Amino acid sequence: MRPVLILVLVIFGLIVAFSGCNSYNKFVEKDTSVEQAWGNVQSAYQRRADLIPNLVNTVKGAANFEQTTLTQVADARARATSIQIDPTKLTPEKLAEFQAAQGELSQAIGRLLMVTENYPELRATDSFKELQSQLEGTENRIKVERDKFNATVADYNTSVRRFPANFWAGIFGFERKGAFEADQGAQNAPKVEF
């Protein structure tokens, strides 16, 4: 009877070890996918940050342009590019901080583009039109990459929480990761008045 019991225990041990190794490898694969998706998000935001100096320099050429608006854009860009998040530590708090800085930059760019409405000669220049078009395309890229990132994080978080894999996730130290959330007030449609 003893050899049968030992054989059963050895087989059970092998099954448990195989299950643990398999779960660990899946977590590593999904964690790497999250890191790659985060890199793509950062790349899209970096593209926007790289376009801003060109936009500011193009706008500076307009006579009597509001210097405070340009300063606000430059300051917001500096804050947004100073926040770096380690992809292994994508907590909701860190993502909220990153998102807040990027939101400030988006608002500053929006104010800059609104103020340019007062300068028809600036809006007519080819370089301004091209930069505005590139900025619009970049904002679309940011949205796409954020959506892909959120989908990748959701897949990762589901695997970390699913039973029995959650047992192995806890043992190996794989924790849930944060995702992008809608900005405060995003659920309220803007009011358009004529």
Side-chain angles (χ1 to χ4, degrees):
M1 183 76 171
R2 246 183 178 327
V4 173
L5 180 61
I6 291 173
L7 182 62
V8 168
L9 288 176
V10 168
I11 290 173
F12 179 74
L14 288 173
I15 290 171
V16 168
F18 178 74
S19 172
C21 290
N22 189 38
S23 291
Y24 179 81
N25 289 335
K26 285 183 181 178
F27 292 139
V28 167
E29 181 182 318
K30 291 178 185 286
D31 189 50
T32 302
S33 294
V34 169
E35 289 177 12
Q36 179 184 6
W38 178 247
N40 292 344
V41 168
Q42 286 184 310
S43 176
Y45 276 115
Q46 186 61 49
R47 176 174 162 71
R48 177 173 72 170
D50 292 345
L51 286 173
I52 291 171
N54 294 333
L55 181 65
V56 168
N57 287 334
T58 301
V59 169
K60 266 187 194 176
N64 300 324
F65 196 83
E66 290 82 354
Q67 191 62 37
T68 57
T69 304
L70 295 175
T71 304
Q72 289 172 347
V73 171
D75 291 346
R77 179 185 181 271
R79 279 191 299 280
T81 56
S82 71
I83 296 176
Q84 298 297 318
I85 298 177
D86 180 357
T88 61
K89 298 177 178 123
L90 289 169
T91 63
E93 297 79 23
K94 295 241 184 230
L95 275 175
E97 179 185 353
F98 179 84
Q99 191 171 348
Q102 295 297 334
E104 285 180 35
L105 181 55
S106 294
Q107 290 175 354
I109 293 170
R111 283 191 298 273
L112 175 67
L113 294 176
M114 283 179 28
V115 170
T116 60
E117 294 294 318
N118 298 331
Y119 297 87
E121 70 281 354
L122 173 64
R123 287 183 296 135
T125 65
D126 289 337
S127 59
F128 182 76
K129 287 179 185 178
E130 177 64 26
L131 283 168
Q132 203 171 13
S133 175
Q134 286 184 26
L135 199 56
E136 182 180 318
T138 299
E139 293 298 328
N140 289 335
R141 287 181 188 169
I142 289 170
K143 163 90 170 81
V144 167
E145 293 304 332
R146 281 176 55 155
D147 289 348
K148 286 180 185 176
F149 173 77
N150 280 352
T152 305
V153 167
D155 181 51
Y156 171 84
N157 286 344
T158 299
S159 68
V160 168
R161 294 177 55 211
R162 187 175 286 151
F163 182 81
N166 62 346
F167 171 74
W168 295 112
I171 288 175
F172 295 129
F174 289 95
E175 299 175 354
R176 292 180 69 190
K177 298 193 183 284
F180 282 102
E181 298 177 5
D183 292 331
Q184 295 257 341
Q187 71 277 11
N188 300 329
K191 294 181 180 177
V192 179
E193 296 179 17
F194 295 101

